[in-house]
Amino acid sequence: MYENRREIMQDVFLTYLPARKFKTSRLTVNLITGLERAGASANALLPAVLSRGTVRHPDMESLSAAMDTLYGATVDSVVRKKGERQCIGFAADFIDDAFTPHGERLLEPVAELMGEMLLEPLTRNGSFLAEYVDSEKANLIDAIRSLRNDKRDWAEIRLMQEMCAGEPYSILRLGDEETAAKLNNHCLYRHSSTLLAGSRVEVLYCGSAERQRVEDAVLSALAALPRGAAASLPPVEQLPPRETPRVVTEVMDVNQGKLALGYRCTTEDVPAMILANLIFGGTSNSKLFMNVREKLSLCYYASSTYVRSKGILTVSSGIETADYQRALDEILHQLHEIRDGHWEPWELEGARSTMRSALTSLSDSQGALENYCLGQAATGQSEDPETMQRLLDQVTPERIRAAAGSVTLDTVYFLHGKEEA
């Protein structure tokens, strides 16, 4: 994969993913910037405002009409968080040239429209239109507030905010409500100028067009992109765990307690840590699912996730408040089982099979493949799916035990109902 990523202009990289089995093509343009509390909300707001209108297409109706002429092509604003990087921009999906009714070539006009939305926004008196900014700001604040609605996700968010307080990783993809409320059309326009000039740009294409044609279309579309000295992205810090785990308890109107655990992982053996996590809680055959949920009935759900760029492993579970201590003790015990090598060969093979299936299936979805590649590029990783699978196949049980041995509990977060306060 990474032989297909190269710099085509200053700090602009094109990842070319040839694929002829899809009836559509996918093209994304992403500005990569470090997560910072002061700028995260502005970054999240910007692509939504840029999607409201351009010089040639001054409103959403006109933009929609332009996409209709391209056989229903879509250009959506995207805001993603990859490790401690915020990735904002546009994603376009359109009919592949091989399937257009009369052999029309859609790559070039779609790329041109994306470039227009990014670089030729509708302005008034040297700023974005206040009505567009105010409308999208209200939508952004609503989206931030709605994160509380899913209590499972909210518990995981709060765990990261407490565990990684002071670290960029604690910042939400959309920023925070307080900062968003202070934004206006003037400061957002100034922010956009700085962001466009100083961000690294990652362009990803998946479809049947030849590489040179894709490169030419992107270069033409981004010809007016201002290029200054790219702001250096700060290195991602992997901090050691607390000497004594911190316990945070909060109360909300919930019927089911949410228990979330955060661990720091000091191992550099990423493939072994991936498999250790899958055996622990990453699949429906994991120890958390089979033992804590099924055998002991201590939780309604239990799973774990490993974030390699931060060296963090998290556990998410739903429990009865009365079972808090028993559930916590059993989750901790299952990790010790992996450290001690207490698993069956089928558990390891099941973990390998899960990853093999996940990596293989990436090529079946343009969106999944693009998202994977963007994550790799944004966080400085280099393994394509085939390379990662080879590395996983080489992992020994001893390496898995060693990786699990590097995992230390840092923070426990428990959310329960008001009646149990």
Side-chain angles (χ1 to χ4, degrees):
M1 178 188 305
Y2 280 86
E3 62 270 17
N4 288 338
R5 176 180 179 267
R6 70 185 187 197
E7 190 172 12
I8 59 173
M9 58 187 289
Q10 181 185 336
D11 297 311
V12 177
F13 295 83
L14 170 64
T15 297
Y16 173 71
L17 304 167
R20 297 187 177 276
K21 64 180 180 180
F22 300 108
K23 293 184 177 181
T24 59
S25 294
R26 183 171 178 83
L27 179 68
T28 68
V29 178
N30 308 273
L31 307 180
I32 312 298
T33 184
L35 268 171
E36 296 179 351
R37 194 165 303 280
S41 296
N43 293 338
L45 179 59
L46 180 60
V49 172
L50 295 178
S51 297
R52 292 294 297 266
T54 71
V55 173
R56 286 198 302 151
H57 303 96
D59 52 41
M60 297 179 71
E61 182 179 1
S62 179
L63 277 172
S64 179
M67 295 178 201
D68 286 344
T69 65
L70 300 173
Y71 293 100
T74 60
V75 181
D76 298 316
S77 61
V78 289
V79 181
R80 290 178 274 191
K81 175 180 174 179
K82 301 295 183 182
E84 293 187 343
R85 311 289 184 240
Q86 198 175 14
C87 311
I88 68 166
F90 297 106
D93 293 286
F94 50 98
I95 298 175
D96 196 87
D97 290 355
F99 298 95
T100 53
H102 306 292
E104 295 93 335
R105 292 157 68 94
L106 298 185
L107 170 62
E108 288 79 4
V110 168
E112 181 183 359
L113 181 61
M114 293 177 74
E116 181 182 338
M117 293 170 67
L118 187 67
L119 302 173
E120 300 178 57
L122 184 64
T123 60
R124 181 189 298 141
N125 299 324
S127 288
F128 294 129
L129 272 62
E131 55 267 35
Y132 286 180
V133 172
D134 291 343
S135 173
E136 295 303 330
K137 182 172 72 173
N139 292 338
L140 175 62
I141 291 174
D142 285 345
I144 294 172
R145 289 174 178 171
S146 71
L147 294 174
R148 292 174 174 264
N149 295 340
D150 188 316
K151 299 304 187 289
R152 177 175 180 171
D153 289 346
W154 181 245
E156 295 176 18
I157 288 171
R158 289 292 298 123
L159 171 67
M160 286 298 96
Q161 288 178 333
E162 294 292 336
M163 178 176 171
C164 300
E167 302 174 56
Y169 195 69
S170 67
I171 300 170
L172 296 177
R173 172 180 68 92
L174 300 177
D176 64 274
E177 181 179 344
E178 181 181 359
T179 305
K182 297 176 182 177
L183 295 172
N184 59 46
N185 59 319
H186 303 298
C187 69
L188 185 64
Y189 187 81
R190 292 193 299 269
H191 180 80
S192 72
S193 299
T194 302
L195 190 67
L196 287 169
S199 296
R200 188 175 90 227
V201 180
E202 295 285 346
V203 181
L204 296 97
Y205 169 81
C206 184
S208 68
E210 298 299 322
R211 168 190 272 280
Q212 190 58 53
R213 183 178 158 213
V214 177
E215 186 171 322
D216 291 344
V218 173
L219 286 172
S220 176
L222 299 183
L225 181 69
R227 293 284 79 189
S232 59
L233 294 173
V236 176
E237 287 188 282
Q238 295 193 8
L239 302 183
R242 292 179 172 88
E243 292 186 5
T244 301
R246 183 182 179 210
V247 179
V248 179
T249 301
E250 292 184 341
V251 177
M252 288 183 71
D253 186 14
V254 295
N255 296 321
Q256 182 188 108
K258 308 298 180 184
L259 175 61
L261 281 65
Y263 297 84
R264 301 279 187 177
C265 315
T266 58
T267 183
E268 295 183 0
D269 191 346
V270 170
M273 192 63 239
I274 289 174
L275 292 175
N277 171 65
L278 290 171
I279 296 172
F280 178 45
T283 73
S284 59
N285 290 320
S286 67
K287 289 190 174 296
L288 291 183
F289 187 91
M290 299 296 290
N291 294 301
V292 186
R293 181 186 187 276
E294 294 293 297
K295 182 178 178 181
L296 299 174
S297 299
L298 288 174
C299 59
Y300 298 100
Y301 62 86
S303 61
S304 65
T305 302
Y306 170 55
V307 182
R308 64 176 290 190
S309 64
K310 278 294 291 181
I312 285 177
L313 184 146
T314 60
V315 173
S316 174
S317 65
I319 65 171
E320 291 293 336
T321 298
D323 291 330
Y324 167 80
Q325 194 60 51
R326 289 180 62 208
L328 175 60
D329 291 343
E330 191 58 37
I331 290 170
L332 298 176
H333 172 67
Q334 294 304 323
L335 182 58
H336 280 287
E337 290 287 276
I338 299 173
R339 289 172 177 164
D340 295 338
H342 295 163
W343 70 77
E344 299 297 327
W346 67 263
E347 293 179 85
L348 174 54
E349 184 48 44
R352 290 194 210 273
S353 177
T354 295
M355 278 304 297
R356 188 178 300 115
S357 176
L359 292 169
T360 301
S361 66
L362 286 174
S363 62
D364 295 330
S365 167
Q366 290 172 306
L369 182 59
E370 182 271 342
N371 190 54
Y372 175 88
C373 295
L374 176 64
Q376 296 286 92
T379 58
Q381 299 164 19
S382 59
E383 304 93 355
D384 60 26
E386 294 78 14
T387 299
M388 177 55 76
Q389 186 57 61
R390 288 196 298 271
L391 294 174
L392 292 168
D393 289 339
Q394 296 166 6
V395 174
T396 63
E398 292 74 20
R399 286 172 57 189
I400 293 174
R401 291 199 297 269
S406 79
V407 178
T408 304
L409 182 64
D410 182 282
T411 303
V412 176
Y413 175 84
F414 184 46
L415 178 67
H416 63 83
K418 296 178 180 179
E419 72 283 355
E420 296 149 342

